[in-house]
Amino acid sequence: MFELNIRFQIAAFLMWLLIVVDYRRNSHLQLLSTKCFRTLLILTGLNLVFDGITVYTVNHINEVPVWFNDLVHKLFLGSIVIIMFFNFLYVYILANNQRRIKTHKMLLLLIPIFISAIIILFGKLDYRITENAAYSYGTLVYVVYVCGILYLISAFSLTVNKKIELNTYQRHSIRTGLAIWFIILMVQMIFPRLLLSGLGLILMVLSVYFSFENQKENYDAMIRCFNKTAFHRMICEYNEKGKDMYLLSVSCDNFEHINNISGYDCGLDILKSIVKVLKKYFGNYIYHSENNTLSVFRSSETDDDYLNKIFEELSQIKFDKFEIRFHIKEINLGKYIVEVDDTYETLDFMSNELKGRESGIYSLNEDMWKRKQRHDSIVHIVSESLKNDGFEMFYQPIYNTAEKCFSSAEALLRFKKSSTKDLGFVSPEEFIPIAEEKGMIVELGDRVFEMVARDIKNHNMLDFGIGYIEVNLSRIQTVAVGIAEHLKNLISEYGISPEFLNLEITETASVSSEEILTENMKSLKQAGFSLSMDDFGTGYSNLSQINKSDYELIKLDKSIIWPAFDEKADEASKNSAEKILECSINMIKSMGIKIVAEGVETKEMVDYLTEHGVDYLQGYYFSRPINSDEFMEFIKGKAVS
Ligand code: C2E
Ligand code: CA
Ligand code: CA
C-alpha cells in the first residue's frame, strides 16, 4: 500500500525535475509573469516534498509526533490553494499583457486563501488508517479543495473570455491542465487511499508550461536574439511598471533595398552582425523588434561616448558594394510614452522621419515629438472628418490654349475649416500620405469621388463648358482590387458617367505592384474613364510607362517648368532647363498625347507654353483652387467675358 502511494509522488517529482531542467536551460524575459511562473514552480516542488513526507508520517503515525504529522499535512494542503492561486495569476498576467491585477480585485481573489488559512490554522484534521489505506480527511480537506476549485473556475473563465490575448492552443492547454487536475481530484475523492493530488498538480503545471513558457515563442533562432513577441511583452511590462526606461533601437534604413538586390541571406547577415555588436555592449537581452530593427531596453540614458563607440563599431559592418545606413534611435519611454501602442507609433514615426537620412544617432527630442503630435492630430481629424463630412472639394480651373477657354478643372481635396481647428491649414500634401499610412485612403478616395460627382451634378458643371474633371488617385487606390467597377458604381449613383472624369495617376507604385497597376489602368479605361500621368518630371514618372499605357494627358510638374523661367538662375542652367522642357513637350506631342502644364504663375509662362503647343494650362496665373460655388462663379464669369 505504502509503495503504491509513493510511486505517484516519485513520478510527480521526476516530472517536476524535468520542467526545472528545461526551464533553466533557456534565458527568460524579465517579466512579472516569469517571476510568477518561477514561484509556481517552487511552490509545486515544495508541495511534492510535503506530499512525500505526509505519505511517510501518516503511515508511521505512531512513530512521529502528532504536531509534526499535522504540520506537514497542513503545509501540503495550504500549498495546494496557493499553487492554484498562482496558476490563475500566471495565466491572467500573460493573457493580459503583463497587466497587474487592481488592488480591490486582488483582495477579492485572496478571499479563498484567507478562508483556507483560517481553517488550516484552527481546523482539525482527521486521519483514516486502515490495513490498506492511510490518509487525512474531514471538513478541512474539503474546504481547501473547494477553495482550489474556485481558482480553477477563475482560470477556466479566462479561457472563455474572447478579449484576452490567448491563442486557441493556449486556451486548450490551460483547459486540459485544469481538467486533469479536477479529474484527478475527483478520483482521489472517490478513492481516497490513492494519493494522487501532487501528480494532478504537476500535470497541470506541465500543461501550462508547454503552452506559455515556450522558448520558441520568444526567440528568433535565425539571428539568435529575442523576437518581436518578446519585445512586445517587455514593452507591456515596462508600461505596466511605469518606470523610467529608455529604448535603444538600431535599424538598417536601406534594409529592404539591400534585401531586394542581394537577397534574404545578405539581410540576415546584416542583422546577425548588429546583434553581435549589441550583445557585446548590452549582453543577451537584444530584441528583433522590427524587420530591420534590433532593440534593447536601458534603465538610464546611454552615455554619448558609449553610443558613439557602438556607432563606430556598427559602421564597420560592410557588405561588398553596399553602404549600410544605420540609424540609432533612442526614446525616453518614461517621458514620452503613455500607452503600449505609443511605442510602436513613435518608432514608426521616427523611421518615417529619418528615412533616407545618413547614418547617425537620433534621440527623440521635443521638436520631433511636436511633429509627432501634429501627425497624430491629423490622423485623428482625418478619421473624424470621414465620419462627420469634414472634407470639401476645391477646383482649379484648367485653361484650354486652343479654344481659349476653361474646359476642365482639377479636383483638389481640402478639410473644411471647422475640421482642423487649431492646426491651421493642413495641405493634402501633408494629410494624404498620413491617410495612406493609416489605411484610410481608400475610404477617403471614395469620398472624393462622391463629392466630385455630387458637385458636377448639383452645379450642372457640364453645361458650362467643362468637359471633364480631373481627379487624383492615390497610389494605393491604383493597385486596389476591382477599383474600376467600384468607382464606376460610386459615381453612377449621382448619374455621372465615367467619361466626365479623368483620373490622374502618379507612377510611384512599387515595382512589385506594376502588373496590378497596368491591369487596373486597362480596366479603368474599359470602364470609360480617361487617364492622365501626373507629376511628369519629378523623377517618379517612368518613360517606359508612357509607352505601355493609354494616357490621354500628361501633366508637366512645376519642377520641370519653373527652372526654365528662374530669373535667379545663371544663364547656362536656365538654358539647359529650357532645353529639357522643350524636348519633353516635343516628345510627348510626337506621341500624340496632350499636355497639361501645372504651376503656371506668370504671363511669360503662359506665352511660352502656348507657343510651344502645350494644350492646357493650370496655375495661380488663372486661379488658385477654389470651392465649388466660387468655381462656378469663375466659370460663368469667364463664359460671359
Ligand atoms: P498635385 O496633384 O500635383 O496637385 C497640384 C498641386 O499644385 C495642388 O496643390 C495645387 O494647389 C498646386 N498648384 C496649382 N497651381 C499652382 C501654382 O501656380 N503654383 C503653385 N505653387 N502651386 C500650384 P494641393 O491642392 O496642395 O495638392 C497637393 C497634392 O495633394 C496634389 O498634388 C495631389 O498629389 C494631392 N491631392 C490633392 N487632392 C487629392 C485628392 O483628392 N486625392 C488624392 N489622392 N490626392 C490629392
Ligand atoms: Ca494632380
Ligand atoms: Ca501634379
Side-chain angles (χ1 to χ4, degrees), residues 15 136 180 239 290 313 324 358 430 540 542 545 555 563 600:
M15 261 188 244
S136 57
I180 292 174
N239 198 258
E290 270 299 324
E313 203 152 326
I324 306 170
E358 60 187 48
E430 193 176 5
Y540 289 127
N542 179 343
Q545 265 300 329
K555 301 194 76 171
V600 179

Side-chain angles (χ1 to χ4, degrees), residues 1-12 47-48 50-59 73 76-77 80 127-128 132-137 141 145 184-185 187-189 191-201:
M1 168 266 301
F2 170 71
E3 272 177 23
L4 173 77
N5 270 337
I6 201 71
R7 269 182 210 160
F8 292 128
Q9 273 68 25
I10 291 170
N47 174 274
L48 294 176
F50 296 143
D51 197 7
I53 302 176
T54 56
V55 174
Y56 178 83
T57 58
V58 82
N59 280 286
H73 270 90
F76 165 71
L77 287 167
I80 292 177
Y127 300 97
R128 175 152 302 144
N132 54 5
Y135 55 87
S136 57
Y137 71 100
V141 177
Y145 282 133
I184 290 186
L185 190 67
V187 172
Q188 185 168 358
M189 289 287 160
F191 307 105
R193 70 184 197 90
L194 300 176
L195 301 181
L196 289 169
S197 162
L199 192 66
L201 281 179

Side-chain angles (χ1 to χ4, degrees), residues 289-301:
S289 52
E290 270 299 324
N291 203 12
N292 64 342
T293 308
L294 289 142
S295 296
V296 31
F297 293 95
R298 311 269 296 143
S299 55
S300 60
E301 198 169 356

Side-chain angles (χ1 to χ4, degrees), residues 238 241-247 298-301 331-336:
Y238 288 134
K241 262 193 190 164
K243 271 221 251 158
D244 259 3
M245 198 43 76
Y246 288 77
L247 177 68
R298 311 269 296 143
S299 55
S300 60
E301 198 169 356
I331 303 177
N332 180 342
L333 296 179
K335 182 169 175 190
Y336 292 110

Side-chain angles (χ1 to χ4, degrees), residues 534-545:
D534 205 356
D535 299 339
F536 181 89
T538 54
Y540 289 127
S541 46
N542 179 343
L543 287 180
S544 67
Q545 265 300 329

Side-chain angles (χ1 to χ4, degrees), residues 410 472 504 506 533-536 538 555-558 598 618:
E410 176 171 5
N472 291 283
E504 297 191 3
T506 312
M533 178 190 270
D534 205 356
D535 299 339
F536 181 89
T538 54
K555 301 194 76 171
L556 300 186
D557 191 73
K558 38 191 173 287
E598 276 186 332
Q618 174 185 358

Side-chain angles (χ1 to χ4, degrees), residues 340-358:
V340 170
D341 284 352
D342 293 348
T343 313
Y344 294 108
E345 283 176 11
T346 309
L347 277 173
D348 269 0
F349 179 79
M350 285 181 86
S351 298
N352 274 341
E353 277 242 323
L354 300 175
K355 192 127 214 79
R357 291 239 214 126
E358 60 187 48

